[in-house]
Amino acid sequence: MGPLTGIRVVEFTGLGPAPMAAMLLADLGADVVRLDRPQAAEAVNTGLPGPHMSEGRAVLGADLKSEEGRTLARDLIERADVLLEGFRPGVMERLGLGPETCLALNPRLVYARVTGWGQDGPLALTAGHDMNYISVNGALHAIGRADGPPVPPINLLGDFAGGTMFTVTGVLAALVERDSSGRGQVVDAAMIDGSSLLMSMVHEDRARDSWSDERGTNYLDTGAPWYDVYECADGRHVSVGCIEPQFYAAFLAGTGLDAEDLPDQWDRTGWPRLRERFAEVLRTRSRDEWAAVFEEVDACVMPILSLEEAPDHPHVRARGTLTREGERVVPGPAPRFSRTPGGVTRGRPRPDTAEVLKGWGLAP
């Protein structure tokens, strides 16, 4: 029974950050009902796979362009604590299910909206994907090497870190505030806003003249040789992040390098020489040999594991961070709770829709 047990969420099917937000709320114990198009819901309920990150939740078919479908949606909304939607601005209003209507039905409702550009602004109605949202706020510019173009970080930064996580943060904050006010409110989570906030430390460093706007020249963006990845003898890689002096000293000791023969760690003019020596030495052994060298040493050196290898790492396995279920790798719940642990909805049987509706006080 997770910490959100007793919280009811009605999710309007979407892509990317919205379903992941619903997934996380369900992992934390919330009772989530997902509304989808009738044909899609029927297909899922007969065993076909649904959209990404939509497993383990009851799914109902509702044609929201029909009065019957909107009536079902309103019935759920009246009983929900949270509404979660990820459509473009104005879509829910055109369906007659905008915030004003829904909060009139249920004044305690937390109405969470996640979009790329937000509910207003010149780009609000413009299409986009993860890397578009992090293009105009400077985040993507900062990721990559000095001699190359920006590198899209899959869709982790815009969609999930900037979108999902700030949506969930907003939902939880609004639920806490509701306890004192008795009223719900609208949460406007925009990926451009969230990913901008995640760049706070970089902006602080720029204000202190300790971060250059030139990509790949700074201490955390592969500019520094002691915060980078290196190829080993077998073509695989290790990550080296020995920023602090004690970790740097441990790294030099593990590699057999002598600080007296090297430029000072923070002397930028010596960074090319340091990088050259680190690369030479780390290329003399395999990745796993270096992992063994640094296994019990605080040098901030780790083997870079593939997606296939990662579940078998002793620490990952011990915490259940990643588990194998047949041919599939399933991430565990996060964060952890001492009294009310969450669960995992991925790969689990879908709840019986009739029972879920009954629990919500609705007829199947």
Side-chain angles (χ1 to χ4, degrees), residues 125-143:
L125 299 179
T126 304
H129 280 297
D130 178 289
M131 69 174 177
N132 303 130
Y133 310 131
I134 64 174
S135 292
V136 301
N137 65 3
L140 183 55
H141 168 81
I143 302 172

Side-chain angles (χ1 to χ4, degrees), residues 5 24 81 91 117 119 158-159 164 175 192 206 230 272 276 336 344 364:
T5 297
L24 295 180
D81 297 285
V91 171
W117 304 112
Q119 295 299 311
D159 279 355
T164 293
L175 288 173
I192 186 173
R206 287 196 68 222
Y230 289 91
E276 180 183 13
R336 312 292 175 91
V344 173

Side-chain angles (χ1 to χ4, degrees), residues 115-118 123 129-143 150-153 156-163 166 189-204 206 211 213 215:
T115 59
W117 304 112
L123 293 175
H129 280 297
D130 178 289
M131 69 174 177
N132 303 130
Y133 310 131
I134 64 174
S135 292
V136 301
N137 65 3
L140 183 55
H141 168 81
I143 302 172
V151 179
L156 297 179
L157 182 54
D159 279 355
F160 299 134
F166 283 94
M191 295 172 231
I192 186 173
D193 298 345
S195 55
S196 296
L197 190 54
L198 292 170
M199 293 289 286
S200 293
M201 193 176 85
V202 170
H203 287 296
E204 286 185 18
R206 287 196 68 222
W211 190 279
D213 207 15
R215 180 174 52 258

Side-chain angles (χ1 to χ4, degrees), residues 77-144:
I77 290 165
E78 283 182 320
R79 294 160 172 80
D81 297 285
V82 179
L83 182 155
L84 178 61
E85 63 99 352
F87 302 132
R88 288 201 208 187
V91 171
M92 289 291 281
E93 284 83 351
R94 289 195 294 274
L95 292 170
L97 298 170
E100 186 174 335
T101 300
C102 292
L103 286 167
L105 286 171
N106 180 356
R108 289 176 55 81
L109 182 70
V110 173
Y111 194 114
R113 326 187 76 170
V114 54
T115 59
W117 304 112
Q119 295 299 311
D120 52 33
L123 293 175
L125 299 179
T126 304
H129 280 297
D130 178 289
M131 69 174 177
N132 303 130
Y133 310 131
I134 64 174
S135 292
V136 301
N137 65 3
L140 183 55
H141 168 81
I143 302 172

Side-chain angles (χ1 to χ4, degrees), residues 4-10 25-26 29-33 58 356 359-360:
L4 293 184
T5 297
I7 295 295
R8 292 174 174 169
V9 180
V10 56
L25 295 173
D31 182 4
V32 182
V33 173
V356 171
W360 283 54

Side-chain angles (χ1 to χ4, degrees), residues 48 78-79 102 125 130 133 152 154 156 226 239 261 297 305 307 322 343 347 364:
L48 293 177
E78 283 182 320
R79 294 160 172 80
C102 292
L125 299 179
D130 178 289
Y133 310 131
I154 318 181
L156 297 179
W226 31 261
S239 62
D261 299 330
V297 178
L305 303 183
L307 295 174
L322 296 170

Side-chain angles (χ1 to χ4, degrees), residues 67 69-79 96-97 105:
E67 186 54 38
R70 290 192 293 271
T71 297
L72 171 58
R74 287 192 291 265
D75 286 343
L76 290 167
I77 290 165
E78 283 182 320
R79 294 160 172 80
L97 298 170
L105 286 171

